[in-house]
Amino acid sequence: MKNFNLNALIRPNVLEMAPYSSARDEFEGEANIFLDANENSIGSSTIEGDYNRYPDPRQTPLRNELAKIKGIHPDQIFFGNGSDEAIDLIFRAFCIPKVDRVLILPPTYGMYKVQANINETPVDEILLNSDYSLPVDRIKNEIKPNTKIIFICSPNNPTGNLMAKADVFELLNWFNGIVVVDEAYIDFAPQGSSFAQEINNYPNLMVMQTFSKAWGLAGLRLGMAYAQKQMIDILCKIKYPYNVNLLTQEKAMEAVLNPAKKDEMVAELLSQRTWLKQQLATIKTVSKIYPTDANFFLVKIDNATEIYKTLIDKGIVVRNRSNVALCDSSLRITVGTEEENKKLIEELLLITK
Ligand SMILES: Cc1ncc(COP(=O)(O)O)c(C=O)c1O
């Protein structure tokens, strides 16, 4: 990170282009007659609600409120249509197709590779260590020139573990490209696990979080990237002008103004996680329940694929990860409600008896 130069990482076309300037970008101040954006001035075709106006392209009130909760500056927050949008945009901002590379660390979240493929970005893969920790030495030895981004998922999907902070710091200090730390599940991990506060210390760090998990708002599609302003400005420059819709902004604001509800749900899910772990341990064919800091378990079980299919016949869907590197015969099981977890265990006991 010693020689970090953000402008040198940005694709030249992105650096040089002028962004689209929307009607709502250009107007600032007080007005009550809006004839600037070719909206329907009368109203909306819904039974109730007014959606005829374009949403705030910068999501300013929401950014201000979230910044307070996260202890960072509003200018350090990017909102996307899910964090999947932020993942896509960093390829478009930084990776010249067919030239620049990214490094991913399987087993991990599948969208990094999918977005790389869509953006014609070559992907290098270095497997995590067998205990799912970061292979820091192998990364340092095997990384290729032109690697612009390293994706670290912590807690990692599908394994559930947090990455050791010291390992992430080592990579942040060593790498002159961008280190993305995807913290989609961070609210289920112990306090102090997040790297969000570190963005002020590391200009090469981008932290991603989402409203899809702990906040219970997957249907709204709202994800965040946190980084120093210069990096956030680049994502904002290339995003769709109105990428976060009005309903999403309103409902997310409702949630952010009352974070206690999220905290209560997290507490309940964590207590269910403990219960589920105890119960899974009683199933004879379960050989390993991997430690988790997320709202799911990776579970090694005999005949995982058969169990997966039988559970589907009973109306229970889990994720079969058996074909994923280092996840031999393993299922990824989300912590459900008390009732759902009981039903799952009941069925697993019957199937494996
Ligand atoms: C690690 C990780 N990152 C990101 C996402 C996607 O989040 P979003 O719903 O905000 O696009 C997921 C969803 O499963 C995930 O597991």
Side-chain angles (χ1 to χ4, degrees):
M1 207 261 301
K2 288 184 198 83
N3 303 315
F4 186 74
N5 176 355
L6 185 68
N7 279 353
L9 292 178
I10 299 166
R11 285 169 69 194
N13 60 312
V14 170
L15 195 60
E16 284 154 23
M17 67 176 243
Y20 177 71
S21 182
S22 71
R24 296 296 130 81
D25 277 322
E26 287 178 12
F27 169 75
E28 257 181 55
E30 292 287 310
N32 49 25
I33 299 180
F34 287 96
L35 305 177
D36 58 343
N38 303 343
E39 296 144 330
N40 183 329
S41 303
I42 300 168
S44 303
S45 51
T46 46
I47 291 166
E48 54 179 43
D50 289 324
Y51 310 106
N52 52 326
R53 298 297 176 186
Y54 282 106
D56 176 356
R58 298 297 315 272
Q59 309 96 18
T60 305
L62 186 58
R63 245 169 348 104
N64 290 340
E65 283 308 318
L66 188 69
K68 284 187 214 161
I69 294 184
K70 296 292 167 184
I72 57 178
H73 193 277
D75 289 346
Q76 297 174 323
I77 299 176
F78 165 85
F79 282 115
N81 188 337
S83 38
D84 286 343
E85 182 185 359
I87 297 170
D88 178 39
L89 287 185
I90 58 172
F91 284 99
R92 298 214 252 153
F94 298 108
C95 297
I96 299 172
K98 298 181 181 166
V99 174
D100 295 321
R101 317 181 71 84
V102 297
L103 176 62
I104 64 170
L105 306 159
T108 195
Y109 182 46
M111 281 303 278
Y112 313 137
K113 191 170 181 178
V114 170
Q115 294 290 6
N117 291 343
I118 291 170
N119 287 291
E120 290 193 279
T121 301
V123 180
D124 298 308
E125 303 185 48
I126 297 178
L127 287 186
L128 293 174
N129 295 323
S130 55
D131 63 356
Y132 302 142
S133 61
L134 284 175
V136 177
D137 291 339
R138 276 189 286 137
I139 292 173
K140 286 183 172 179
N141 292 330
E142 293 171 30
I143 201 158
K144 298 208 175 120
N146 277 359
T147 301
K148 287 271 185 80
I149 306 168
I150 302 175
F151 284 96
I152 296 173
C153 190
S154 180
N156 186 41
N157 176 4
T159 59
N161 58 301
L162 276 169
M163 298 303 163
K165 271 202 152 179
D167 289 346
V168 178
F169 278 125
E170 194 169 339
L171 291 174
L172 279 167
N173 284 314
W174 164 81
F175 189 50
N176 283 323
I178 296 163
V179 177
V180 172
V181 181
D182 184 344
E183 297 185 345
Y185 300 96
I186 200 68
D187 295 283
F188 302 106
Q191 285 237 321
S193 308
S194 173
F195 275 81
Q197 310 291 327
E198 297 297 334
I199 55 173
N200 290 315
N201 301 326
Y202 291 93
N204 59 338
L205 169 63
M206 180 181 288
V207 174
M208 289 186 183
Q209 294 184 357
T210 178
F211 278 85
S212 296
K213 310 297 176 182
W215 292 90
L217 299 175
L220 292 184
R221 309 304 300 127
L222 186 64
M224 298 74 87
Y226 313 136
Q228 291 188 7
K229 180 176 184 306
Q230 209 194 350
M231 184 123 75
I232 293 301
D233 285 349
I234 291 296
L235 298 188
C236 291
K237 183 175 181 181
I238 63 172
K239 75 178 182 70
Y240 286 156
Y242 304 110
N243 61 328
V244 178
N245 73 67
L246 188 63
L247 272 176
T248 297
Q249 292 192 42
E250 281 176 9
K251 285 284 159 192
M253 189 68 162
E254 195 178 305
V256 165
L257 290 175
N258 179 24
K261 178 147 188 209
K262 182 257 301 176
D263 294 340
E264 278 165 30
M265 289 193 289
V266 168
E268 166 72 11
L269 290 168
L270 292 184
S271 108
Q272 284 301 311
R273 186 173 84 181
T274 306
W275 183 86
L276 195 54
K277 185 177 179 185
Q278 287 161 355
Q279 299 302 310
L280 286 167
T282 66
I283 291 169
K284 297 194 296 266
T285 55
V286 167
S287 54
K288 182 135 196 179
I289 306 162
Y290 291 91
T292 185
D293 295 293
N295 64 335
F296 57 83
F297 284 102
L298 188 68
V299 178
K300 191 163 184 166
I301 185 165
D302 296 350
N303 307 317
T305 299
E306 258 171 57
I307 305 261
Y308 166 76
K309 288 183 185 153
T310 315
L311 282 174
I312 288 185
D313 292 341
K314 308 278 179 190
I316 300 173
V317 194
V318 298
R319 194 94 147 108
N320 186 6
R321 300 283 77 186
S322 298
N323 294 326
V324 170
L326 302 181
C327 297
D328 184 37
S329 201
S330 297
L331 302 177
R332 193 194 69 194
I333 302 176
T334 306
V335 177
T337 62
E338 183 178 354
E339 207 179 313
E340 290 168 340
N341 298 331
K342 278 189 180 149
K343 184 79 185 142
L344 170 78
I345 294 296
E346 228 172 76
E347 293 298 347
L348 277 175
L349 284 168
L350 280 174
I351 298 168
T352 57
K353 80 167 185 270

